[in-house]
Amino acid sequence: MEKKVLFTIFGGTGDLAQRKLYPSLFRLYKKGDLKEDFAVIGTARRPWSDDHYREVVMGTIEDLIESKEQAETFASHFYYQSHDVTDTTHYDSLKELADSLDQKYQLEGNQLFYLAMSPNFFGTIVSHLKSQGMLETEGYHRVVIEKPFGSDYASAKQLNEEINQVFSEQEIYRIDHYLGKEMIQNISAIRFANNIFESQWNNRYIDNVQINIAEDLGVEERGGYYDKSGALKDMVQNHILQILSLLAMEPPVAFSEKELRTEKIKALNAIRIYSEEEVKTNFVRGQYAHGQLEDQQFAGYREEMNVAEDSATETFVAGKFLIDNFRWSGVPFYVRTGKRLTEKGTRINIVFKQVPVNVFKKDVTDCESKKKLAPNVLTIYIQPTEGFSLSLNGKEIGQGFDTLPVKLDYRNSTEIVENTPEAYEKLLLDALNGDGTNFTHWDEVAQSWRIVDVIRHAWDKETPDFPNYSAGTMGPKAAYDLLAADGFEWIWKP
Ligand code: BG6
């Protein structure tokens, strides 16, 4: 279906717009999801001209274009308006431009606003959109909101109320770009299209679940934002809890936005909210020190640009979530995420329980490792490689009878991975289609903040002994002790 629409991007000169949004819009254009009847208004403070803006846009799609002419035609749909988001008169000129583009491109009044800038202004922007009459056009009005959605439950609630004065829940698309990733969407296929797994997906057969989002990069140029946020708010409140809810939810009665949401919210509601004491035993934080990996040297976090010299911000979190429902009672969901770790990798390990009796154990004098079989593990590789593997135990070839772990391994080919639509491309198309399945509902955001707030509060009461892990390693020792205390270990050992 053709998408007639006017995009207004707040933060049009920013990093996200340039790295993600413009290339994604171009891919949609190349595939014909966007034809010639669309327009984009980029707004930000800088006084750019349309020509300069178009040059910038063309620069962001250089690697994707088939011809210069194609790039120029695409870029001709882009218009720039210098804008102070707090000044109401600026919305009047924005409206004028929007109305004229609506006429010019015959957009039938459809509008998608994209808030890709400092969250401090989200409330102000939406209220001015309404007060200055920008939402009075005939078609649909949707707003896409980048994270962070608030900085704790109270601020998120206030922001939500402000946005709700203007947009209904159905018109709000809160982005969590992990939900646009191919292999995150694949979690539901693995679970609900394979009886072999779904029949085992509970506390009778699963020992523990491990969610890793490791990054090898440091904070790069984002020190200013990151030093106020930290890994807990940057990664756990959103991406990790979203993944956890997809892994833990009950099968939805239908694969629809409404049913999926209902189940995800139920799963999040069943996550135990810890007391401050429990936070101390179940969560670990870390901050990277200077380190070395092979012949590369990395600066410590406190030496990074725009980071306080005595910063107490965590760049690493490991923790254990417990889910108090029939399906998951007693199964720890371990999570681990951090910057400047050994390598980049997002992967999920589902660790199955041991068989009731190890009949291959020879005698009581066997060492500990022989008494236990290697666990069956289903691994879902989210990125950079995409695929699944399943570790089983087989017989070691030859005389005698020793068992040996073997792996069934499937990875999408490099060609497939390269041609998979990028998360932002998929999510933009979903928003254009009015499909909110892969966006986060307010109830999910609210509950995620409630879960994370107690961890934050407990941590804020004590000054951590930072830095406590070297750049290039997989985090502090306490992250290993956390699992060892339960008799487990991290399956992924890069
Ligand atoms: C963002 C965080 O949401 O996700 C970043 O703000 C992080 O700090 C990024 O680097 C990771 O995303 P991806 O897609 O590279 O795994």
Side-chain angles (χ1 to χ4, degrees):
M1 209 179 66
E2 211 175 325
K3 311 284 181 303
K4 295 167 184 277
V5 63
L6 172 66
F7 296 90
T8 304
I9 301 180
F10 290 88
T13 58
D15 181 59
L16 181 92
Q18 296 195 36
R19 265 188 321 111
K20 301 289 184 187
L21 303 185
Y22 303 146
S24 295
L25 288 174
F26 182 68
R27 287 200 197 91
L28 293 176
Y29 178 75
K30 237 169 56 169
K31 289 179 186 162
D33 290 308
L34 288 175
K35 298 227 164 52
E36 298 307 328
D37 39 12
F38 80 96
V40 180
I41 303 178
T43 77
R45 274 176 176 264
R46 294 179 214 181
W48 284 5
S49 64
D50 284 348
D51 283 343
H52 180 67
Y53 183 43
R54 288 172 190 164
E55 286 293 324
V56 171
V57 170
M58 283 197 282
T60 69
I61 57 172
E62 248 165 20
D63 302 342
L64 306 170
I65 60 175
E66 282 146 4
S67 67
K68 186 149 184 278
E69 195 192 346
Q70 181 195 39
E72 281 170 356
T73 318
F74 172 73
S76 71
H77 292 255
F78 286 69
Y79 298 80
Y80 187 79
Q81 167 109 24
S82 166
H83 186 85
D84 172 355
V85 292
T86 58
D87 183 343
T88 48
T89 59
H90 282 206
Y91 293 82
D92 299 335
S93 12
L94 197 60
K95 180 169 170 2
E96 246 172 65
L97 177 61
D99 288 346
S100 76
L101 294 177
D102 187 74
Q103 283 293 315
K104 178 169 176 182
Y105 292 96
Q106 297 290 302
L107 303 177
E108 298 174 0
N110 294 326
Q111 295 205 65
L112 195 143
F113 301 95
Y114 201 116
L115 308 188
M117 55 180 301
S118 166
N120 299 345
F121 297 114
F122 290 170
T124 313
I125 296 172
V126 293
S127 81
H128 289 334
L129 290 180
K130 186 173 180 186
S131 67
Q132 302 316 111
M134 286 205 67
L135 306 179
E136 281 157 24
T137 53
E138 282 291 311
Y140 63 71
H141 306 110
R142 297 178 189 146
V143 62
V144 181
I145 303 181
E146 270 298 326
K147 69 174 264 261
F149 197 88
S151 56
D152 56 12
Y153 173 69
S155 58
K157 183 162 176 281
Q158 191 192 340
L159 172 60
N160 200 51
E161 282 165 2
E162 285 168 12
I163 297 172
N164 274 159
Q165 306 270 322
V166 180
F167 293 97
S168 68
E169 181 64 31
Q170 290 69 33
E171 293 172 322
I172 304 173
Y173 294 77
R174 297 179 197 81
I175 286 243
D176 182 316
H177 77 284
Y178 266 66
L179 298 182
K181 291 188 192 273
E182 192 57 40
M183 290 304 296
I184 294 288
Q185 297 186 355
N186 219 321
I187 293 174
S188 295
I190 297 169
R191 289 194 53 194
F192 307 129
N194 296 295
N195 199 29
I196 181 175
F197 294 128
E198 193 45 31
S199 59
Q200 313 281 306
W201 213 260
N202 57 52
N203 53 8
R204 272 175 294 153
Y205 301 105
I206 291 180
D207 237 355
N208 68 86
V209 174
Q210 304 181 9
I211 302 170
N212 297 279
I213 307 186
E215 296 187 82
D216 54 350
L217 295 180
V219 284
E220 314 301 301
E221 284 88 43
R222 294 169 72 231
Y225 150 77
Y226 195 88
D227 209 34
K228 291 195 196 71
S229 161
L232 182 70
K233 293 183 183 181
D234 189 48
M235 300 298 283
V236 179
Q237 185 273 337
N238 35 67
H239 310 319
I240 289 211
L241 284 172
Q242 281 294 316
I243 297 177
L244 199 155
S245 69
L246 289 168
L247 290 167
M249 71 183 180
E250 291 300 309
V253 287
F255 199 67
S256 68
E257 174 180 343
K258 179 169 160 281
E259 303 301 343
L260 273 165
R261 270 207 175 141
T262 308
E263 298 308 336
K264 280 172 71 189
I265 291 167
K266 273 163 55 188
L268 288 167
N269 285 342
I271 295 178
R272 188 177 304 172
I273 305 227
Y274 288 134
S275 65
E276 288 187 3
E277 270 315 298
E278 286 171 319
V279 170
K280 284 187 196 151
T281 45
N282 292 318
F283 270 81
V284 170
R285 54 179 157 163
Q287 185 193 77
Y288 61 86
H290 161 269
Q292 183 174 358
L293 190 62
E294 285 151 17
D295 52 0
Q296 264 188 297
Q297 296 279 345
F298 302 112
Y301 175 69
R302 290 176 178 176
E303 296 147 61
E304 304 270 19
M305 204 173 27
N306 298 328
V307 169
E309 277 171 21
D310 57 350
S311 172
T313 300
E314 77 287 351
T315 58
F316 175 94
V317 179
K320 168 163 86 170
F321 285 113
L322 293 170
I323 303 181
D324 292 321
N325 62 18
F326 269 43
R327 185 183 283 265
W328 294 117
S329 178
V331 180
F333 280 68
Y334 299 110
V335 303
R336 176 169 63 162
T337 185
K339 299 220 180 265
R340 274 280 183 256
L341 302 186
T342 313
E343 67 181 69
K344 180 172 172 73
T346 302
R347 55 176 78 179
I348 299 162
N349 296 118
I350 312 290
V351 186
F352 291 89
K353 284 192 193 297
Q354 295 275 313
V355 288
V357 174
N358 177 6
V359 297
F360 304 110
K361 180 181 70 164
K362 303 258 167 26
D363 56 54
V364 282
T365 60
D366 267 357
C367 63
E368 280 308 312
S369 64
K370 286 233 165 138
K371 283 184 197 157
K372 270 187 145 191
L373 292 160
N376 295 141
V377 180
L378 169 68
T379 302
I380 308 173
Y381 300 87
I382 312 289
Q383 61 184 19
T385 62
E386 300 181 353
F388 323 104
S389 72
L390 184 62
S391 315
L392 304 171
N393 288 304
K395 178 189 168 298
E396 196 174 29
I397 293 172
Q399 291 210 320
F401 209 106
D402 272 329
T403 57
L404 185 79
V406 289
K407 210 175 200 179
L408 307 183
D409 208 347
Y410 169 78
R411 300 300 164 90
N412 286 339
S413 68
T414 323
E415 200 189 338
I416 291 180
V417 174
E418 271 168 15
N419 291 319
T420 311
E422 220 261 331
Y424 272 91
E425 177 187 340
K426 287 167 83 170
L427 295 175
L428 272 171
L429 187 58
D430 283 353
L432 291 176
N433 285 330
D435 180 354
T437 311
N438 295 312
F439 294 83
T440 49
H441 189 275
W442 163 245
D443 293 343
E444 297 169 58
V445 175
Q447 191 58 19
S448 303
W449 277 123
R450 289 192 194 101
I451 294 166
V452 156
D453 276 357
V454 293
I455 304 173
R456 189 71 263 164
H457 291 155
W459 281 354
D460 285 346
K461 290 197 172 150
E462 283 173 22
T463 310
D465 190 12
F466 281 169
N468 60 353
Y469 71 97
S470 302
T473 66
M474 285 303 280
K477 179 173 172 294
Y480 294 89
D481 297 344
L482 179 75
L483 274 70
D486 295 339
F488 300 127
E489 59 178 8
W490 293 105
I491 298 291
W492 187 32
K493 302 178 188 71

